[in-house]
Amino acid sequence: MTETAAQRNQRNAARSQSGRSRRADLRRAQGLPGTLGITALSAVLPGSGFIFAGRRTLGLLVLLPTLLVAVLGGWYAATHVRSLLRTAVDPDRLTILSVALITLLVAWVAVVVATYRMVRPLQRPRWHNYVGAAFVVVLCLLVSAPLAVGARYSMVQADLVNSVFQQHTHSATRPTVTAADPWGDQERVNVLLLGGDGGVNRMGIRTDTVIVASMDVDTGETVLFSLPRNLMNVPFPEDSPLHKLYPHGFSGDGPDAEYMLNAIYRNVPAMHPGVLGRTDNPGADALKLGVSAALGIDVDYYLLVNLAGFEQIVDAMGGVTVNINEPIPIGGNTDLGIEPKDYLEPGPDQHLNGFEALWFARGRYGSDDYERMERQRCMIDAIVDKAEPVNLLRRYQELAKAGKEILRTDIPQDLLPAFVDLLLKVKDQELESVVFRSSEQFTPGDPDYDWVHATVQEAIDPPEPTHAQPASHDSTTPEQATLQPAAGAGTSPDQAVEAADSCAYDPVE
């Protein structure tokens, strides 16, 4: 039966009357100030405006879950920091978090808008509408900003993890472990930290910075081993294909031959393509094998940093603070007689920007590689010290952008939660360090690798003092014994030293 125009009008009138009745049943705010106040309260306590308006059930259905989530969320954030950090390295969780935050944002804005419409007076001047609408827009922006930032950071972090820590990669040297048992039967995990000038995805770069971070998986106690870039005759493990090619260490003949440690990453893949089998980064794998045999410990993973991009990381962190004990050159070339453009002046607690931090780590005019290695280790300590969660969050997007461009690693994505746990332990410990520099026991051009192995073992597992051989308390501290240069040669790195102590302010006279 076809509805007539009269019936349609009657139905619409009834519906309109019903709507006016429902609106009339609502409790309204007194004037514009009351309307804005209750709307603002609903932004802080979602659902409270519905209760004021007389929609008690609806209000409680919104308010009580909100309070419950807020309390549980605050408790969880305060007591489960490790779990939150694990979420930060899980792209799947980060994607879910981003979607949840966007959903919450939409729901929160809807509650604010609905509250305003419920509590505003039925009879109001036109200008009240303009002021009220502007207020609601500003309030919604304030409510949505932190949620939008959180959703954005979640997606940026997921992209960073997927870009740098790829899951399905191939390595000839990475240990075979699982996320459930990330360290296997190892007491320590050893990560090779490399610095090179050039893009991290290029094979033709030289790694002038070679440091191994050896971390105790139970305590987080860490020793940094710094090797000189000009180390010669670097051995390879006997079960490696490279040992057959270089049974007496990485060496060769020819006026243009480059056989120092810093040339392994570039030259081995170029001279022997495919020798290590299926691998995404043969240069890194070759260098891991050489450093493993040189130090006498298995290097498990590597992390390569483009030193030119290192400047971006430090700037994104807001700079770092170090002690400078003598003028450090900016630029210059000793061999060519080119003077530095400027110097970093000595002083305690010097705050450096990215450009200055880069030259602190790499400045070499008028000094040797070993002094530069010392400064690089101090820079690592300064970065670890600056890596506070609040500081990182403030500058997160810049850090993530820089990290994608300058970092490369073979650490698989599913091991990141285990590394988060380990690095939290590392941060609570004082870093120790051994720098292999020229001495009576050690010469980079003709190194005694048996002595190097013994030094490494003593550093990671120092002998307990005995009554017959008490710990030394003379005027020469272990730090001075390790770092104080001797005439023409330097000193023996026969003990691990506290990085914080050796990087203290002790100006050169």
Side-chain angles (χ1 to χ4, degrees), residues 285-301:
D285 280 329
L287 190 52
K288 285 170 64 178
L289 291 170
V291 172
S292 294
L295 295 179
I297 56 177
D298 290 331
V299 173
D300 303 300
Y301 306 99

Side-chain angles (χ1 to χ4, degrees), residues 18-28 47-63 114-115 118-119:
S18 175
R20 284 195 296 270
S21 298
R22 286 196 299 271
R23 290 196 297 271
D25 289 343
L26 295 173
R27 181 184 177 187
R28 301 285 175 167
S48 58
F50 296 161
I51 296 175
F52 172 86
R55 297 289 185 262
R56 190 177 187 85
T57 300
L58 177 62
L60 291 176
L61 287 175
V62 174
L63 179 60
T115 298
M118 278 187 182
V119 301

Side-chain angles (χ1 to χ4, degrees), residues 318-382:
V320 293
T321 300
V322 297
N323 296 306
I324 300 180
N325 293 317
E326 59 182 328
I328 296 173
I330 297 176
N333 188 308
T334 305
D335 297 334
L336 300 178
I338 300 174
E339 294 288 329
K341 299 176 181 179
D342 201 355
Y343 286 87
L344 301 177
E345 295 300 325
D349 298 326
Q350 298 286 75
H351 188 77
L352 307 182
N353 60 27
F355 174 81
E356 294 165 335
L358 179 61
W359 281 105
F360 176 89
R362 71 186 301 189
R364 202 161 55 229
Y365 180 88
S367 61
D368 58 28
D369 284 338
Y370 307 106
E371 293 174 4
R372 188 173 65 117
M373 290 159 60
E374 293 286 1
R375 295 197 303 269
Q376 290 170 354
R377 186 177 44 74
C378 292
M379 180 56 62
I380 292 174
D381 194 51

